[in-house]
Amino acid sequence: MLVLQQYEGLMKNINAHRELSGAASELSQIKQARIEALATKTLGQSAGEFVGSFLVKGDRAPVEPASGYGTGDVASISFRINMCLPEADYIQTQASMKELVELRNGLVHHFIERFDLWSIEGCEKAHAYLQGVYVRIFEHYTQLRAYAGEMKETMDQMAAFLQSDAGIDIFVNGISPDGQIHWPTSGIVGALHAAVRALAIDGWTSLDTAKLWLAEHHPEQQPAKYRCPSWPQVLHESRCFELCYRIAEDDARSAWFRPR
């Protein structure tokens, strides 16, 4: 029973961490809520989610976009980890887990009914049965630990990539490996939106004032990173802002912008 509890706990841990989606600022709360929700599930329910969600049949798992991902100027993150199995292995694993759930239910609910524990012969039969059951349960646990190890390795590789220059360019700056820029979710557009929230007057923000603010709060975000020679070029290329020029009393021209 102790190994079964370890098995169930490990499976719930895999189910809790195999995917995550939401606003970056709320990921910790979202993860904790998921862990708490899965904690109340039975072994059968956990196995049903594990097979078909983490373990999937075929060469590649279907990719479904997360709802609300990349909307507005809120940074969002979505990831999902799956392990793809050939159809025969998938069917075998599914049947094996069903057997384990039935085995667990039999131990918990029907063990005393099956054996005469008030006789030496009955106890010997029960002992032999438990020894065989332990071997089967431990085999399942060993396999699950292998799945967990592979998932951890994948997550470690993902974390290393996210911290690399290429990962930062993709997920923070919105610059793909081929040089294409996804302006709405790019780091520089996000920084400009932050400047607007801090500095806007009647909806418009002075570009000169914004540049000083950005140099202090987001110095890593520079037009050259996005292949633009100037800030007005960033505002134009992104298509996320309106740009206008105002003439002051001294005939000096200044640029102002606002979100579209």
Side-chain angles (χ1 to χ4, degrees), residues 56-58 85-96:
V56 295
K57 179 172 53 178
L85 297 178
E87 183 173 1
D89 292 343
Y90 177 85
I91 293 173
Q92 180 182 1
T93 301
Q94 191 175 41
S96 178

Side-chain angles (χ1 to χ4, degrees), residues 56-133:
V56 295
K57 179 172 53 178
D59 295 331
R60 180 173 296 182
V63 178
E64 300 175 2
S67 60
Y69 177 71
T71 58
D73 59 353
V74 177
S76 300
I77 294 175
S78 179
F79 76 85
R80 181 182 295 114
I81 298 175
N82 301 102
M83 180 172 292
C84 301
L85 297 178
E87 183 173 1
D89 292 343
Y90 177 85
I91 293 173
Q92 180 182 1
T93 301
Q94 191 175 41
S96 178
M97 288 195 171
K98 181 180 179 182
E99 176 204 26
L100 181 65
V101 172
E102 293 173 350
L103 187 63
R104 180 263 180 201
N105 291 340
L107 285 172
V108 172
H109 301 295
H110 306 293
F111 181 73
I112 293 179
E113 300 172 7
R114 294 188 58 182
F115 300 98
D116 178 13
L117 301 180
W118 287 264
S119 69
I120 293 177
E121 182 181 0
C123 287
E124 288 176 345
K125 290 181 178 179
H127 181 259
Y129 173 76
L130 289 175
Q131 285 184 314
V133 164

Side-chain angles (χ1 to χ4, degrees), residues 67-250:
S67 60
Y69 177 71
T71 58
D73 59 353
V74 177
S76 300
I77 294 175
S78 179
F79 76 85
R80 181 182 295 114
I81 298 175
N82 301 102
M83 180 172 292
C84 301
L85 297 178
E87 183 173 1
D89 292 343
Y90 177 85
I91 293 173
Q92 180 182 1
T93 301
Q94 191 175 41
S96 178
M97 288 195 171
K98 181 180 179 182
E99 176 204 26
L100 181 65
V101 172
E102 293 173 350
L103 187 63
R104 180 263 180 201
N105 291 340
L107 285 172
V108 172
H109 301 295
H110 306 293
F111 181 73
I112 293 179
E113 300 172 7
R114 294 188 58 182
F115 300 98
D116 178 13
L117 301 180
W118 287 264
S119 69
I120 293 177
E121 182 181 0
C123 287
E124 288 176 345
K125 290 181 178 179
H127 181 259
Y129 173 76
L130 289 175
Q131 285 184 314
V133 164
Y134 174 80
V135 171
R136 288 157 65 192
I137 292 173
F138 194 77
E139 288 174 351
H140 282 282
Y141 181 56
T142 300
Q143 179 62 71
L144 190 64
R145 287 184 62 183
Y147 289 144
E150 292 181 29
M151 187 178 90
K152 182 180 183 303
E153 182 179 351
T154 299
M155 295 182 73
D156 288 345
Q157 292 174 352
M158 180 174 65
F161 176 72
L162 290 175
Q163 296 175 36
S164 69
D165 291 342
I168 291 172
D169 270 347
I170 292 174
F171 294 102
V172 177
N173 297 323
I175 305 173
S176 63
D178 63 3
Q180 294 295 313
I181 300 169
H182 187 248
W183 287 105
T185 59
S186 65
I188 201 165
V189 167
L192 285 165
H193 277 296
V196 168
R197 290 193 294 270
L199 306 170
I201 301 173
D202 295 331
W204 289 89
T205 303
S206 164
L207 182 56
D208 288 336
T209 304
K211 286 160 62 177
L212 294 174
W213 188 90
L214 290 165
E216 178 181 355
H217 295 89
H218 297 279
E220 75 287 354
Q221 296 299 338
Q222 295 294 326
K225 184 190 294 288
Y226 300 85
R227 303 195 305 278
C228 291
S230 66
W231 284 99
Q233 184 72 18
V234 171
L235 295 170
H236 174 73
E237 293 292 339
S238 72
R239 302 183 183 278
C240 295
F241 303 93
E242 294 180 28
L243 176 65
C244 74
Y245 291 91
R246 299 178 182 179
I247 306 299
E249 293 181 358
D250 60 357

Side-chain angles (χ1 to χ4, degrees), residues 5-14 141 144-145 148:
Q5 289 179 13
Q6 290 178 305
Y7 180 92
E8 185 172 350
L10 182 57
M11 177 172 286
K12 289 179 178 179
N13 187 272
I14 293 174
Y141 181 56
L144 190 64
R145 287 184 62 183

